[in-house]
Amino acid sequence: MIKENQKLFNRLNVITDAVAAFAAVTLSYLLVFHVLDFEKNFPLIDYIKLSILFVPVQIITFGCMGLYDSFRTKTFVHEMGKLVRAFVVDGIMMVTMLYIIRMFHFSRWALFIFLALDLIIVATKRFVIRRVLKNARSIGYNKKYVVLVGSGKSAQEYLEAVSEDKSLGLDCVGYVGRKGTLDSKWLGGYEDIISVLDARNYDEVVCALGSDENNELKRIVEACELTGTKISVIPVIYKYMSGTPSIDVVNGIPLMNIRRIPLDNIGNAFIKRATDIVGSLVLIALSSPIMLVSAIIIKITMGGKVIFRQKRVGLNKKIFVMYKLKSMRDNQQSETAWSTDSDPRKTRFGALIRKLSIDELPQLFNVLKGNMSLVGPRPEIPFYVESFKDSVPLYMIKHQVKPGMTGLAQINGYRGDTSIEKRIEFDIQYIENWSYFLDLSILIKTVFCFMNKEKLKTKKNDSSKRNGEKLNERTKEN
């Protein structure tokens, strides 16, 4: 049933994308020549003719980029990334088409506004559809019926993951494997797999064999091929893998890279660095009066140097010096100290600039220098990196990208004296799923997260005991 639904949904998607393009071209014409009152040198009919050529190109581009595939288990940010790339390609093709054909008259402003409006309309449409489908799945519609194959821990964890999120619409009807090992309906043993798949037209088989069951894989794959059933496999090493592994081929042998990092791509890295340079320059210009006034007050109230310099661990585990406005009196243990809200070394003004995160503004110069990024995992001092790398699982992965002034963990309330494990969990999620729009959303949410301090306080209280067991000292300037 899900296959027929997907075909119908794809047809509707194509039709509405075409309607969106025609609506956008009409709106852009009205906006440029009637609202903005540009000189009318180009007739509307030329815009309509061009959109007739553009729509098939757009649909082909969307199809090639997988925008008509199921996004049931993908995030909206992931879909938006593909959508923007498709529009960039379409825009280039459209300009090229206009230059080569030379039979249409088109305002450059109208072209730009058309592409922007079309992107906004299509993105809004897809967001609304996502919400509607998510709600429909939550109440039992648009289900995808799955047979689980396996009897071990990975199979049980898949069952739990599916049951926890009803909006995915994944209905595990039962499992094939050793009887009585999973909290699901037993459909038969491995030897019964063909008869199970012949009995009903399932949407997918999810194979979650344990390391002691790998000898059954050949039987399972052959059964799925014989019955024409789609099969997905949960690798035995899935706990060590990212959500987006990459596949290389060496003389016909597939080679899986278990942790794909989008920022390893030179294009993505260039976009992020360009954003950091422009963003840091703008923010330095805007915040320089605040930093100057703060520096004067710090000099008067605390004396000495106004900039606190501390070694931190950055990209590829390289040590760099991070800058902050001094918010405490001089500390002899600055390389191993961890601060708390009640630290006696704080001054009133120091507490204020820490509360407002003004003390972190000098890190914009770290961003400009290239030591840090506007968004990324928060950097740690070497003393604690050595401590956490053996006690916190996957801790060192955070050093595969540049550290940031803010990050996914911070906007979710995990900053300062909070759970290290949760911070690393969010850091890895960010590293594996980076996109320009994810960075943009984190920057926007960072501004608003200061309005909700209670969330942060709760997480601090919940995690302080756990962190206290890991470390004895609590005086680090972070």
Side-chain angles (χ1 to χ4, degrees):
M1 185 65 181
I2 194 72
K3 294 175 183 176
E4 286 73 16
N5 288 344
Q6 187 64 42
K7 288 179 181 178
L8 176 62
F9 178 71
N10 284 344
R11 292 190 185 105
L12 291 173
N13 231 348
V14 168
I15 293 170
T16 52
D17 285 342
V19 171
F22 284 110
V25 79
T26 305
L27 286 172
S28 66
Y29 182 85
L30 293 173
L31 184 61
V32 170
F33 298 115
H34 291 273
V35 177
L36 299 178
D37 203 24
F38 278 49
E39 186 178 351
K40 290 185 182 180
N41 292 328
F42 312 111
L44 177 60
I45 190 65
D46 278 357
Y47 288 75
I48 300 298
K49 288 178 181 178
L50 187 61
S51 61
I52 291 173
L53 287 177
F54 174 77
V55 167
V57 173
Q58 183 187 60
I59 291 170
I60 292 170
T61 306
F62 281 11
C64 291
M65 291 197 172
L67 282 162
Y68 293 124
D69 295 342
S70 173
F71 280 84
R72 182 186 295 256
T73 58
K74 302 289 193 306
T75 64
F76 182 66
V77 171
H78 176 81
E79 187 175 3
M80 274 299 298
K82 285 193 170 187
L83 201 59
V84 170
R85 288 195 292 273
F87 269 93
V88 169
V89 171
D90 288 341
I92 293 171
M93 292 177 69
M94 197 170 179
V95 170
T96 305
M97 192 188 315
L98 285 169
Y99 180 78
I100 294 174
I101 297 177
R102 293 182 180 274
M103 59 181 292
F104 301 108
H105 300 288
F106 212 93
S107 164
R108 283 174 292 182
W109 273 108
L111 174 61
F112 176 78
I113 293 172
F114 159 64
L115 291 171
L117 284 174
D118 197 16
L119 174 60
I120 292 169
I121 294 170
V122 172
T124 303
K125 179 206 75 170
R126 286 175 175 258
F127 178 78
V128 171
I129 289 174
R130 271 179 169 270
R131 300 303 301 179
V132 171
L133 289 177
K134 189 173 183 178
N135 291 335
R137 290 163 187 156
S138 297
I139 59 176
Y141 294 101
N142 193 229
K143 284 188 174 182
K144 187 175 185 178
Y145 296 100
V146 175
V147 172
L148 181 61
V149 177
S151 310
K153 189 176 180 180
S154 60
Q156 182 61 41
E157 288 181 350
Y158 175 82
L159 280 175
E160 293 170 0
V162 167
S163 62
E164 285 172 3
D165 191 354
K166 299 296 183 183
S167 67
L168 291 173
L170 298 173
D171 187 350
C172 188
V173 296
Y175 78 99
V176 172
R178 294 192 293 268
K179 189 174 183 179
T181 55
L182 300 182
D183 299 330
S184 183
K185 181 181 178 182
W186 182 67
L187 302 176
Y190 295 119
E191 66 279 3
D192 303 315
I193 183 64
I194 291 183
S195 59
V196 169
L197 297 181
D198 278 335
R200 181 178 171 183
N201 187 24
Y202 297 103
D203 293 307
E204 186 177 9
V205 166
V206 173
C207 187
L209 297 174
S211 56
D212 60 334
E213 300 173 312
N214 278 337
N215 59 321
E216 300 290 348
L217 183 59
K218 183 174 181 291
R219 186 207 302 263
I220 306 304
V221 172
E222 288 178 350
C224 290
E225 290 176 346
L226 283 171
T227 57
T229 308
K230 179 184 176 183
I231 180 172
S232 297
V233 179
I234 301 177
V236 175
I237 58 169
Y238 74 99
K239 285 195 172 181
Y240 304 98
M241 294 174 58
S242 72
T244 54
S246 60
I247 304 293
D248 292 325
V249 179
V250 179
N251 284 339
I253 299 175
L255 194 65
M256 181 171 64
N257 186 324
I258 65 172
R259 195 167 303 282
R260 174 184 170 271
I261 299 177
L263 285 171
D264 284 343
N265 178 280
I266 191 170
N268 291 338
F270 174 80
I271 292 171
K272 186 170 177 66
R273 182 60 187 146
T275 303
D276 284 341
I277 292 172
V278 174
S280 61
L281 285 172
V282 171
L283 291 173
I284 286 170
L286 294 175
S287 63
S288 55
I290 299 173
M291 285 193 278
L292 180 60
V293 171
S294 299
I296 294 170
I297 296 174
I298 291 168
K299 189 70 174 179
I300 294 171
T301 57
M302 282 185 273
K305 296 179 179 179
V306 298
I307 299 295
F308 176 81
R309 294 173 173 82
Q310 191 177 56
K311 291 180 180 179
R312 297 287 174 119
V313 180
L315 176 65
N316 297 325
K317 298 176 283 186
K318 291 182 179 178
I319 306 296
F320 71 98
V321 176
M322 190 181 79
Y323 309 128
K324 298 182 76 171
L325 286 172
K326 190 166 70 172
S327 61
M328 297 184 184
R329 296 179 182 88
D330 292 337
N331 173 25
Q332 296 299 320
Q333 294 179 310
S334 62
E335 299 304 319
T336 61
W338 199 327
S339 67
T340 61
D341 289 335
S342 59
D343 199 304
R345 294 173 294 119
K346 281 185 184 177
T347 63
R348 287 186 178 180
F349 184 71
L352 175 64
I353 63 174
R354 285 172 66 89
K355 183 178 180 180
L356 300 176
S357 294
I358 292 173
D359 64 321
E360 297 187 2
L361 289 176
Q363 290 166 37
L364 289 167
F365 292 97
N366 284 117
V367 175
L368 191 59
K369 288 172 63 177
N371 302 134
M372 294 178 63
S373 178
L374 291 174
V375 181
R378 287 294 292 164
E380 193 57 83
I381 62 177
F383 177 84
Y384 286 100
V385 171
E386 288 300 314
S387 174
F388 293 146
K389 72 177 185 180
D390 295 323
S391 59
V392 180
L394 308 178
Y395 181 80
M396 297 304 289
I397 290 171
K398 67 182 285 185
H399 300 112
Q400 294 184 15
V401 299
K402 284 183 184 178
M405 292 184 64
T406 185
L408 193 60
Q410 283 65 46
I411 64 169
N412 282 282
Y414 293 96
R415 64 191 299 268
D417 188 15
T418 54
S419 170
I420 298 162
E421 290 85 355
K422 289 298 294 183
R423 272 187 274 168
I424 292 301
E425 183 181 319
F426 280 111
D427 287 344
I428 292 174
Q429 183 181 335
Y430 169 79
I431 291 167
E432 294 177 349
N433 298 281
W434 179 89
S435 72
Y436 180 79
F437 289 98
L438 179 59
D439 270 6
L440 186 61
S441 68
I442 290 172
L443 288 171
I444 294 171
K445 288 177 182 178
T446 297
V447 177
F448 291 102
C449 77
F450 292 113
M451 301 176 186
N452 188 7
K453 296 292 182 181
E454 291 304 314
K455 180 181 177 183
L456 180 58
K457 289 179 181 177
T458 301
K459 287 177 179 176
K460 280 187 176 182
N461 292 335
D462 291 344
S463 65
S464 59
K465 185 177 179 181
R466 289 195 302 271
N467 288 348
E469 292 172 355
K470 292 179 179 295
L471 304 165
N472 295 322
E473 294 178 298
R474 285 295 180 188
T475 53
K476 184 186 76 167
E477 179 127 354
N478 186 17

